[in-house]
Amino acid sequence: DLQRCHADLQRCQDELAQSNAEFATFKLQVEHNFVIGLEDQTKKLEESTALLKASEVHASLMHKALEQEQERSSAQIADMHEELNSLHQSRMSATAKSNNHDGDFAWQQLSEGISVKLDMKMHDVDNSVEFVQAVKLDLCSALGLSATRIQMHGLRAGSVIVDLAVQEGMNQSDRTSGEIIMELLRQIKNPSSELRCGNTTNKIVSIEIYGGDSLYQQNTQSLS
């Protein structure tokens, strides 16, 4: 019986040793797989980080290129405004006369166009269409005109210049364009006039009235 017990004990010890060996092998396998998986995850993380950095660099370059393009576009627009203003001034100078007295002009002939210069910069105008209409509203209100009597030609730089024309009325009782221009000049010369107190026309610094081969210029600053 004692020998049998010793044999059983030895068998149990052998099985325990085998189990310990198998457990050690399993542990090594698990640790190896964990290390391999961790290395793979680390590698993927490094690759993702590198891609993110490359994307950030690309986005930065694109942003810089966009800013440069915007600067070029702004410069081109400014050049176009300046060229337009230069062409307008050349035309005005070519047709100008050296006489600046009200009585020496046939105002009925000066209905081809009016240029109103405002003490503003183009970047102050958020919406050019709405701004031109606001100027028209101030003019119509101050001069007592319907909207059909004033035709707006547009907006240009230098500082901000609004080009327009006074149209002849449809009825015989309507004031002539010459009479309207005379009233416009009267209000231009009066700092407290409705025109000079308008929401937009309060910024008027000068006005040019031209038509045919005649030109009349009035600077509000010289009237202060």
Side-chain angles (χ1 to χ4, degrees):
D1 292 338
L2 183 60
Q3 290 179 351
R4 192 167 48 251
C5 287
H6 279 295
D8 291 339
L9 179 61
Q10 184 64 41
R11 186 173 62 257
C12 289
Q13 289 177 341
D14 292 342
E15 290 177 354
L16 178 62
Q18 184 178 359
S19 296
N20 287 336
E22 291 176 351
F23 177 76
T25 300
F26 175 75
K27 181 181 178 182
L28 289 174
Q29 184 67 36
V30 169
E31 290 177 348
H32 176 74
N33 291 339
F34 177 77
V35 171
I36 294 298
L38 183 60
E39 290 177 349
D40 289 342
Q41 292 297 324
T42 301
K43 185 177 180 181
K44 290 179 180 179
L45 180 60
E46 290 175 348
E47 291 174 351
S48 298
T49 302
L51 288 174
L52 179 60
K53 288 182 178 179
S55 298
E56 290 176 347
V57 171
H58 180 69
S60 178
L61 292 175
M62 291 295 292
H63 181 70
K64 185 175 181 180
L66 179 60
E67 287 182 339
Q68 292 175 344
E69 184 62 28
Q70 288 177 336
E71 289 177 358
R72 284 195 294 268
S73 297
S74 297
Q76 290 175 351
I77 291 174
D79 289 343
M80 290 174 65
H81 280 303
E82 186 64 28
E83 183 178 357
L84 179 61
N85 187 52
S86 177
L87 288 172
H88 175 77
Q89 293 298 328
S90 297
R91 177 182 179 278
M92 299 295 286
S93 298
T95 60
K97 288 186 175 180
S98 60
N99 196 331
N100 272 337
H101 300 290
D102 294 359
D104 294 335
F105 280 87
W107 296 111
Q108 288 80 1
Q109 302 301 319
L110 290 177
S111 59
E112 180 181 333
I114 299 173
S115 294
V116 177
K117 184 175 182 180
L118 305 175
D119 186 19
M120 299 175 62
K121 299 296 183 183
M122 288 299 294
H123 60 73
D124 296 327
V125 179
D126 295 329
N127 186 309
S128 59
V129 175
E130 292 180 357
F131 181 78
V132 167
Q133 289 304 310
V135 174
K136 181 176 183 177
L137 182 63
D138 281 351
L139 288 168
C140 290
S141 177
L143 299 173
L145 296 174
S146 65
T148 58
R149 295 296 305 273
I150 296 182
Q151 181 179 4
M152 308 303 287
H153 292 319
L155 190 70
R156 54 191 172 90
S159 305
V160 171
I161 299 175
V162 181
D163 296 314
L164 58 115
V166 177
Q167 305 297 309
E168 291 294 346
M170 300 297 293
N171 301 317
Q172 193 172 12
S173 59
D174 290 337
R175 286 176 294 169
T176 66
S177 60
E179 290 172 334
I180 293 170
I181 290 174
M182 289 293 287
E183 174 62 17
L184 175 63
L185 289 173
R186 186 189 68 78
Q187 293 200 36
I188 283 289
K189 295 174 182 179
N190 181 4
S192 61
S193 67
E194 183 177 351
L195 180 69
R196 295 283 297 277
C197 295
N199 293 327
T200 59
T201 52
N202 64 340
K203 298 180 177 64
I204 290 178
V205 293
S206 66
I207 185 170
E208 293 178 346
I209 306 171
Y210 55 93
D213 60 351
S214 300
L215 168 68
Y216 177 84
Q217 295 175 310
Q218 180 65 68
N219 191 325
T220 60
Q221 294 175 346
S222 65
L223 302 171
S224 301

